[in-house]
Amino acid sequence: MSPATAVQTPDPRTTLRAGLPDRYLTPDDIAELFEVPLETVYQWRKKRVGPPGFRIGKYLRYDPSDVQQYVKGRKADTAAA
């Protein structure tokens, strides 16, 4: 079977993250993703109301799967209201 005719199997990480990048997201990425100002992302972090983030040294990062779970939770909260 030649490479041109081989069936491509999707990367499970891409499926898991539903199209989100396969890397940790920055606060700028989160602001762009949710179409909010960067300061809003930092306020969410301070008030502990946004997607969970973590520090790598002095840098703030977000796991795409955690962000996806946060969005699913928000959607469920909205649907239940």
Side-chain angles (χ1 to χ4, degrees):
M1 183 182 270
S2 72
T5 59
V7 175
Q8 296 280 334
T9 56
D11 182 349
R13 292 173 296 183
T14 303
T15 302
L16 171 69
R17 296 191 172 145
L20 288 173
D22 189 24
R23 63 176 174 79
Y24 291 121
L25 303 171
T26 67
D28 289 325
D29 294 330
I30 297 297
E32 184 178 329
L33 181 68
F34 290 110
E35 297 179 357
V36 298
L38 182 59
E39 185 59 33
T40 300
V41 175
Y42 288 116
Q43 287 299 315
W44 287 345
R45 172 99 171 139
K46 184 177 180 180
K47 296 176 182 177
R48 299 180 189 268
V49 297
F54 60 95
R55 290 222 170 261
I56 300 278
K58 67 178 184 177
Y59 300 102
L60 179 59
R61 295 294 182 257
Y62 297 85
D63 187 319
S65 60
D66 290 343
V67 173
Q68 186 179 46
Q69 289 295 353
Y70 170 77
V71 170
K72 286 179 182 178
R74 296 288 297 168
K75 284 181 179 180
D77 290 346
T78 303

